[in-house]
Amino acid sequence: MHRLAVLFCLGGLAAPAAADVFPFKTPSGNIQCYVGVGESSDIDCTIWDRSGPPAAPRPASCRGPWGHRVQMAERGPVSLICGAPGPRNTAPGVEVAPYGQTGRWGGISCSSTPQGLDCRNGSGHGFRLSRASQQVW
């Protein structure tokens, strides 16, 4: 097996063998993430359609859209990113993370469920993205 130890393997989600960064999305297509692998792993996820309050209050320094994008490394807290969610990646090869499956990349794990996407890191921090609510801890 290449540098990706387990990739939503029960459902068949896999990354290109030589990739350092690869995308995946939930079956609804509403959440899309990019996973970076190497000496350490990180994840950057965007949710397009959401309701309710964002996972954290908008900082005074953010004058653009808020609550659509999160980033997390193998260790440390989750960061919310200021700005619009940007266009969806519709290129061929964006794998779908089947509901009921979990992917692991270094110290990061994500579970795809019909209720949303839950991701955690080795420090105990994480996030949940769903249309109905977003959370970070």
Side-chain angles (χ1 to χ4, degrees), residues 13-103:
L13 182 66
D20 288 326
V21 175
F22 70 93
F24 73 87
K25 62 184 175 182
T26 57
S28 72
N30 191 39
I31 301 168
Q32 187 169 33
C33 300
Y34 288 85
V35 175
V37 294
E39 289 185 29
S40 65
S41 298
D42 59 15
I43 190 165
D44 185 317
C45 295
T46 299
I47 181 167
W48 280 272
D49 298 320
R50 62 176 192 80
S51 62
R58 177 193 312 266
S61 61
C62 178
R63 298 180 189 261
W66 178 250
H68 293 276
R69 191 168 158 215
V70 297
Q71 292 178 341
M72 183 176 71
E74 283 188 18
R75 296 253 175 229
V78 175
S79 298
L80 275 76
I81 307 301
C82 180
R88 295 177 197 232
N89 184 345
T90 58
V94 177
E95 298 284 346
V96 175
Y99 294 141
Q101 304 303 311
T102 298

